[in-house]
Amino acid sequence: MSVRVLVADDEAMIRAGIRAILDNDDGIDVVGEAGDGVEAVELVRRHRPEVVLLDIRMPRQDGLSAAAEIRRLVPECGVLVLTTFGEDEYIVRAIAAGAAGFLLKSSDPRELTAGIRAVAAGAAYLSPRVAHRVITDLAGPRLGSGAAARSKVDVLTDREREVLALIGEGLSNAEIGRRLFLVEGTVKAYVSSVLSRLGVRNRVQAAIVAYEAGLV
């Protein structure tokens, strides 16, 4: 089945360009477009897409607050932030808002489709251009030192640590299941437990802990 996607950007030309890329992919179905954050939240509630592409700077409601509201109202919808702004503050705020992925508009179109598929599959996706910055520059100051991360990981069971390490590699639930010979429902339960016990909000934050703790 096609991945249902909603595109939200205040620039019509940008939306048209993104739609042109996605319409060429038989595995992706664009179900709607929004010109601001308020409209994006409403259309997500109406269409229930698997993934919403959100620009950060939009009128009425910005993409970061829209992301947090979408995650609260339609938690099964994955948020992929798409922006021209690559500053650290936006990356951190997007992750804190519950975004599962972060892409720059200057990214290769293949990164866009790869990010959509990863988020739809329940995995996290960071553009290679920002992933290194998140891991090396942000992980320590924002989420604690390696010692603190290892302390968090110590509360996990052996199986939970295995799952966390694979989250850190960017694997989806289905891929983790194949690697550990577990059914996907069991993996989902482990992932929920890992996030809860680590005290993090999403897979991206969990992946950072995995890197800090030396599991990846």
Side-chain angles (χ1 to χ4, degrees):
M1 295 180 63
S2 296
V3 178
R4 292 163 49 82
V5 177
L6 181 80
V7 179
D9 194 292
D10 62 328
E11 296 186 40
M13 288 290 289
I14 296 294
R15 295 199 306 271
I18 293 172
R19 182 153 200 159
I21 293 170
L22 300 184
D23 283 345
N24 283 326
D25 193 311
D26 293 336
I28 296 175
D29 180 22
V30 179
V31 298
E33 299 179 21
D36 59 60
V38 172
E39 187 180 14
V41 173
E42 176 57 34
L43 291 180
V44 166
R45 294 179 66 180
R46 183 186 309 170
H47 295 295
R48 302 279 167 161
E50 280 84 27
V51 178
V52 56
L53 288 174
L54 284 176
D55 185 26
I56 285 183
R57 291 193 175 181
M58 294 188 291
R60 294 209 292 171
Q61 184 177 20
D62 66 54
L64 298 177
S65 61
E69 188 170 356
I70 288 168
R71 293 297 298 153
R72 179 175 60 85
L73 296 174
V74 190
E76 65 272 19
C77 178
V79 174
L80 183 57
V81 172
L82 186 66
T83 182
T84 56
F85 301 95
E87 291 88 353
D88 293 349
E89 62 174 297
Y90 291 111
I91 299 171
V92 173
R93 289 173 59 196
I95 293 171
F102 192 101
L103 286 173
L104 301 181
K105 288 180 181 177
S106 57
S107 299
D108 189 290
R110 290 171 294 183
E111 288 185 38
L112 175 61
T113 54
I116 288 172
R117 285 190 168 85
V119 171
Y125 188 89
L126 290 176
S127 167
R129 293 177 59 184
V130 298
H132 183 267
R133 181 185 302 154
V134 171
I135 293 166
T136 61
D137 295 345
L138 303 182
R142 307 286 180 170
L143 297 180
S145 65
R150 288 190 292 274
S151 177
K152 288 184 177 182
V153 170
D154 283 344
V155 306
L156 303 180
T157 66
D158 290 343
R159 178 62 86 184
E160 287 171 341
R161 280 194 290 272
E162 289 179 315
V163 170
L164 175 60
L166 296 178
I167 291 173
E169 291 183 24
L171 272 62
S172 68
N173 288 351
E175 291 168 331
I176 292 173
R178 288 193 292 271
R179 184 78 66 88
L180 299 180
F181 304 101
L182 298 172
V183 298
E184 192 168 348
T186 300
V187 174
K188 185 176 181 180
Y190 274 122
V191 171
S192 295
S193 177
V194 167
L195 298 184
S196 175
R197 299 184 75 178
L198 290 180
V200 297
R201 295 184 58 181
N202 54 47
R203 298 170 78 105
V204 177
Q205 292 181 348
I208 292 173
V209 173
Y211 273 92
E212 282 291 291
L215 297 183
V216 180

